Amino acid sequence: MIKIRSGGFALIEFAIALPLLILLTYGLATVGGKIFYLGRIQLADYVLEEEVHDVLSRLIYDARAAKSVEAFNYNGTVTFAYRTINESTKGVIAVKSAERVYLLYGKLGAENSKVNYKRVEEFLSSPITGDNYFGRTRVTQFFFSKPADNVLRVTLEMQSEVSGHKIKISTAVCMPGCESFEVH
């Protein structure tokens, strides 16, 4: 009976397998990191699009129902005033005024530039743009103009701080019931 010795081959097999294992692990880590990075960029761009859409949707909704509008381009503020009806306990109907304000907080393009929304009676509440865990954004342009009577043109440009991408949307809103309209 012949005894075969195979003890010396384990070290050689290990010496060949270890660099291959390291190379495979490095490749998987690189691909996983790239997938994570691209996913984060896509999520940040989605947040950017949703924030622009949310601000413009709210602003359009409020503009269509407003009785008066006053916009200031130098500080990025627009105020919509409404007439609301309150019934008193004696059956007398009282008309009062309510306002909603969209205002830019921080300088345009600065890291802390955000659009805030509030009713006049309230203090500044949380901003409706900029403070999102998945992708911080900043406002680079918030501009108003009056191309015709009872038409408000709004331009909003925002930038993602994660991806660096920008989105700019302009829209015109017809305000049929608007009695007073000023852009400064």
Side-chain angles (χ1 to χ4, degrees), residues 52-62 102:
V52 169
H53 180 263
D54 185 41
V55 170
L56 289 179
S57 294
R58 287 183 187 202
L59 199 134
I60 289 168
Y61 180 79
D62 288 341
Y102 292 82

Side-chain angles (χ1 to χ4, degrees), residues 14-126:
F14 183 70
I16 293 171
L18 184 62
L20 292 175
L21 186 61
I22 290 172
L23 188 61
L24 180 67
T25 304
Y26 175 75
L28 287 174
T30 303
V31 168
K34 189 68 171 174
I35 289 171
F36 178 77
Y37 172 76
L38 291 174
R40 184 169 181 235
I41 295 296
Q42 285 181 341
L43 186 60
D45 287 345
Y46 174 76
V47 166
L48 175 66
E49 290 174 15
E50 284 301 310
E51 284 187 356
V52 169
H53 180 263
D54 185 41
V55 170
L56 289 179
S57 294
R58 287 183 187 202
L59 199 134
I60 289 168
Y61 180 79
D62 288 341
R64 286 183 179 153
K67 292 295 178 189
S68 70
V69 178
E70 190 170 19
F72 298 93
N73 283 321
Y74 68 89
N75 66 354
T77 303
V78 62
T79 303
F80 300 107
Y82 308 90
R83 287 196 191 113
T84 59
I85 298 175
N86 289 344
E87 291 189 36
S88 68
T89 55
K90 298 179 182 180
V92 177
I93 297 175
V95 177
K96 71 174 198 173
S97 179
E99 291 183 344
R100 293 187 182 153
V101 180
Y102 292 82
L103 57 114
L104 186 65
Y105 177 80
K107 288 184 154 189
L108 282 174
E111 188 173 313
N112 64 346
S113 61
K114 304 167 184 151
V115 176
N116 286 279
Y117 169 81
K118 70 172 189 153
R119 291 184 172 87
V120 173
E121 307 88 34
E122 300 174 346
F123 293 106
L124 270 181
S125 58
S126 60

